[in-house]
Amino acid sequence: MGKGNFGPLTGVDVLDISTMIAAPYGATLLADLGANVTKIELPNKGDTLRTVGPWKNGESLRWPGLARNKKSITLDIRSEDGKEIFKKLIGQTDILIENFRPGTLEKWGLDYETLKEENPQLIMVRISGYGQTGPYSAKAGFGTPGTAFSGHTYIQGYPDRPPVSPSYSLLDYITGVYTAFAAVSALYHRDTMDGEPIGQMVEMGLYESLFRMLEFLIAEYDQSGKVRERSPGLAGHSSPAGTYETKDGKFVVLVCSTDPTFERLAEAMERTDMLQDERYSANAARLKNDHEVQKIVMDWIEQHTLQELQEKLDAFGVPVSPILSIADIFEDPHYKARENIVEVEHPRLGTVKVPGIVPKFSDTPGAIRHRAPELGEHTEEILGGQLGLSQEELVSLKEKGVI
């Protein structure tokens, strides 16, 4: 567990009413860097992520890493009593993060304009499948369908086989990074602008986070009319580039994204003659002759064990990496030195290993201050201690199913 509470976002109050991965992950990133994040969950149900695998002994193994550093309260914000309590919490909140289908909060009378009446400085970050506007805004959206909609899935896989979706929730996690980025950008604007600080609403569709990364597809189709098809590697970008097998049966990824990198590779292979050959001397030429280039590199790599290859290419400054399994990562000294894997407490499993905090700040490094919360673990602390509700009021709310 981390020490202290000195992250760069210490003192920032966040309400997380989102579920599953994308938006909650964004809130967790803020919490890792010191923000005080309160997660609001439905009584007796909680975030659906609590029931998503993988599991051990019936416990979700996603929850400890994705919900760490948050406090949990149960509150049905659809009920009248719940709405009133929610509005009081909004009055003490810097950032609200939500991912309901567009129109849901409006239906409950909790639209942004209404919430701004409670707190004009409120920043509201809204994540949905297709965004708050447009003809598809009302459609249900999850990460894997959103990945297909973004254009990403179309270019993944082999040309003679169906397109391949990511084997994990890639789009959700990328959108989570955008969620955190949006939140702190709006916070910076609010707190540095001249005059009275005023909040704003920020929103995006899941698919947009990956689509933003495909600028090469957009420009290529716009300027040349080319529809890029599936390929298992960096086809059409750099040569050589791809996955290669070593003498001892290990797989590595090597990419020469620049001509100077290829020059160093040629030196390492003792094939400096290629640098004088117009077929290989520049990346554009190598792409035209990619098959021959790949054959040369593949044959050379097959003559070396993984350790030999790594040592030689490291010495020449050529980017190469073994393809690591999670078992490899657990034993890797660099992961250990960077504290990329840390332990958090778990009320029933003892401890669970989770990713460490990134990025690393020199003076305000953030910390894992507390484990992922049990459902409603902090309800009394926050509603009683923070909002001043009496014990009798809390009991009454619980009997009515509001908390």
Side-chain angles (χ1 to χ4, degrees), residues 34-45:
N36 176 37
V37 178
T38 299
K39 185 170 185 65
I40 295 181
E41 303 184 72
L42 273 177
N44 303 314
K45 293 183 178 180

Side-chain angles (χ1 to χ4, degrees), residues 297-314:
V297 174
M298 189 179 303
D299 290 346
W300 181 76
I301 288 178
E302 286 178 347
Q303 298 172 28
H304 299 78
T305 65
L306 174 59
Q307 183 174 349
E308 293 168 348
L309 179 74
Q310 190 79 63
E311 290 175 355
K312 183 178 285 287
L313 294 186
D314 283 350

Side-chain angles (χ1 to χ4, degrees), residues 131-311:
Q132 299 292 317
T133 62
Y136 303 158
S137 61
K139 285 166 61 76
F142 277 130
T144 303
T147 305
F149 188 75
S150 76
H152 176 88
T153 306
Y154 187 86
I155 60 175
Q156 304 303 313
Y158 291 87
D160 59 341
R161 305 176 201 176
V164 177
S165 293
S167 61
Y168 71 107
S169 305
L170 173 66
L171 180 62
D172 291 297
Y173 286 105
I174 292 175
T175 303
V177 177
Y178 275 96
T179 300
F181 170 65
V184 295
S185 296
L187 187 68
Y188 175 83
H189 177 263
R190 187 196 74 178
D191 293 348
T192 60
M193 65 180 293
D194 294 332
E196 183 70 22
I198 299 174
Q200 63 179 304
M201 184 182 75
V202 192
E203 63 96 2
M204 71 179 296
L206 279 172
Y207 76 94
E208 291 175 311
S209 60
L210 260 180
F211 182 69
R212 175 60 183 86
M213 299 180 178
L214 301 176
E215 68 276 347
F216 63 94
L217 278 184
I218 300 164
E220 186 177 49
Y221 182 70
D222 173 58
Q223 296 298 309
S224 66
K226 179 179 178 180
V227 176
R228 187 176 290 265
E229 300 295 337
R230 292 185 289 287
S231 69
L234 290 172
H237 295 273
S238 308
S239 178
T243 301
Y244 306 90
E245 188 171 4
T246 63
K247 183 179 179 179
D248 52 345
K250 305 294 184 181
F251 288 99
V252 300
V253 167
L254 178 147
V255 176
C256 290
S257 298
T258 66
D259 286 332
T261 305
F262 178 71
E263 291 167 10
R264 296 195 295 272
L265 175 62
E267 292 174 5
M269 296 191 301
E270 299 180 1
R271 288 297 309 269
T272 53
D273 61 290
M274 297 180 73
L275 305 179
Q276 313 305 320
D277 191 322
E278 63 181 12
R279 295 173 298 171
Y280 311 130
S281 57
N283 187 52
R286 290 194 300 277
L287 283 170
K288 292 179 181 178
N289 298 281
D290 186 57
H291 183 74
E292 294 103 20
V293 176
Q294 295 285 22
K295 182 69 167 60
I296 292 169
V297 174
M298 189 179 303
D299 290 346
W300 181 76
I301 288 178
E302 286 178 347
Q303 298 172 28
H304 299 78
T305 65
L306 174 59
Q307 183 174 349
E308 293 168 348
L309 179 74
Q310 190 79 63
E311 290 175 355

Side-chain angles (χ1 to χ4, degrees), residues 12-16 30 86 90 92-98 112 115-116 119-126 179-193 197-203:
V12 175
D13 291 310
V14 179
L15 270 185
D16 174 14
L30 300 177
F86 181 61
I90 287 293
Q92 303 177 11
T93 295
D94 295 298
I95 299 165
L96 171 67
I97 296 176
E98 70 96 7
Y112 182 58
L115 297 179
K116 275 189 70 175
N119 181 359
Q121 299 183 19
L122 178 69
I123 293 164
M124 185 178 188
V125 182
R126 313 189 75 175
T179 300
F181 170 65
V184 295
S185 296
L187 187 68
Y188 175 83
H189 177 263
R190 187 196 74 178
D191 293 348
T192 60
M193 65 180 293
I198 299 174
Q200 63 179 304
M201 184 182 75
V202 192
E203 63 96 2

